[in-house]
Amino acid sequence: MSRQDTAAAEPEIRVEGLYKSFGANEVLRGIDLEIGRGEVVCVIGPSGSGKSTLLRCVNLLEEPDRGRVLVGGTELTDPDVDIDAARRRIGMVFQQFNLFPHLTVTANLTLPQRRVLGRSRAEAARVAAENLARVGLAEKADAYPAALSGGQQQRVAIARALAMGPEVMLFDEPTSALDPELVGDVLAVMRMLARDGMTMIVVTHEMSFAREVADRVVFMDGGVVVEDGAPADVIGAPRHARTRDFLSRLLDPARAALPGEPEATGEAGEPEKEADGAAAG
């Protein structure tokens, strides 16, 4: 059975009618989303569109105002749910690495296992070593975070999340704080997770990753889902003007103009066609 067939048959994450406001600012306005087991969904969109808030609502780091979130059939928004037990099924990787600077890499991985899962020191160390090897950092087990590059620290953060044995992984712009030359190693680890069948929601601006790895791409703007479909459709041939405008600015930022100025055009003077061509590339 293919990853797409599995995704269709066995929903792993279901978001129904999700609303979230911060004061007068309505950030999510009725989000409905279903993600199958083993499916990789990339969420794209401009800053302030609600992408990160959606991600934080999936594991209840932010409590929705209205709506339901179900992961593996368990409703996290049920007032009677054991939220700590439910969250153990969900790993999350943030923009910042959030490693303890005074602890070695191994200690950063073993501490949450021992405190949250109750694993013995030996078992936690074994799982830590396995997951450091999985992200290509076995030789850094005794290093401190300050001795690592940003990309290595983010891979340690991914290994730490994996060491908890999650069924779902959430990534909130995991490469946005990295120098460009360090992005590739982190994306390679995420590709490996996708090949291994991990259910993933990835908030990202890395369009090449979304095109190559995602089963679906969701474009959000203004707190709603504007488009949801295969990467070839959403990125390569977007239906909505707002999606086309976002992608053209993201993929060809030199064409952006100040308010009141005409947008730069290509040699043919056809910005709409050129934007579509850039998105398709």
Side-chain angles (χ1 to χ4, degrees), residues 5 9 15 43 45-46 48 73 76 91 104 116 125 151 154 158 166 183 204 211 231 242 247:
D5 291 339
V15 175
V43 182
L76 274 66
T104 65
V116 177
Q154 189 63 290
I158 294 172
V183 168
T204 186
R211 272 192 288 246
R242 182 64 188 97
L247 288 169

Side-chain angles (χ1 to χ4, degrees), residues 1 14 19 22 32 40 54 59 78 99 127 136 206 272:
M1 182 178 288
R14 183 177 293 118
Y19 287 80
F22 297 98
D32 293 299
V40 178
L54 170 62
N59 66 356
D78 183 339
L99 301 177
V127 173
E206 300 288 345
E272 184 73 13

Side-chain angles (χ1 to χ4, degrees), residues 11-18 57-60 63-87 89-90:
E12 183 71 13
I13 301 171
R14 183 177 293 118
V15 175
E16 300 176 350
L18 206 64
C57 284
V58 168
N59 66 356
L60 248 62
E63 187 170 346
D65 299 328
R66 280 188 285 157
R68 303 170 73 220
V69 175
L70 296 93
V71 177
T74 299
E75 184 183 346
L76 274 66
T77 43
D78 183 339
D80 297 324
V81 73
D82 183 345
I83 190 60
D84 291 331
R87 280 201 187 113
R89 306 175 67 177
I90 307 170

Side-chain angles (χ1 to χ4, degrees), residues 128-143:
E130 287 178 354
N131 283 286
L132 285 174
R134 197 175 180 190
V135 302
L137 291 174
E139 76 283 1
K140 300 295 185 181
D142 297 325

Side-chain angles (χ1 to χ4, degrees), residues 192-264:
M192 175 268 294
L193 294 178
R195 288 195 302 268
D196 289 349
M198 177 67 74
T199 305
M200 298 162 59
I201 306 179
V202 183
V203 171
T204 186
H205 287 298
E206 300 288 345
M207 292 301 104
S208 61
F209 176 84
R211 272 192 288 246
E212 176 189 346
V213 179
D215 297 301
R216 284 164 45 215
V217 173
V218 171
F219 174 68
M220 288 182 61
D221 190 32
V224 301
V225 172
V226 178
E227 292 201 47
D228 178 353
D233 296 329
V234 177
I235 299 176
R239 292 173 296 142
H240 292 266
R242 182 64 188 97
T243 316
R244 292 195 295 270
D245 179 66
F246 169 77
L247 288 169
S248 68
R249 290 171 180 271
L250 181 66
L251 298 170
D252 191 6
R255 293 184 51 220
L258 293 172
E261 292 184 342
E263 187 174 88

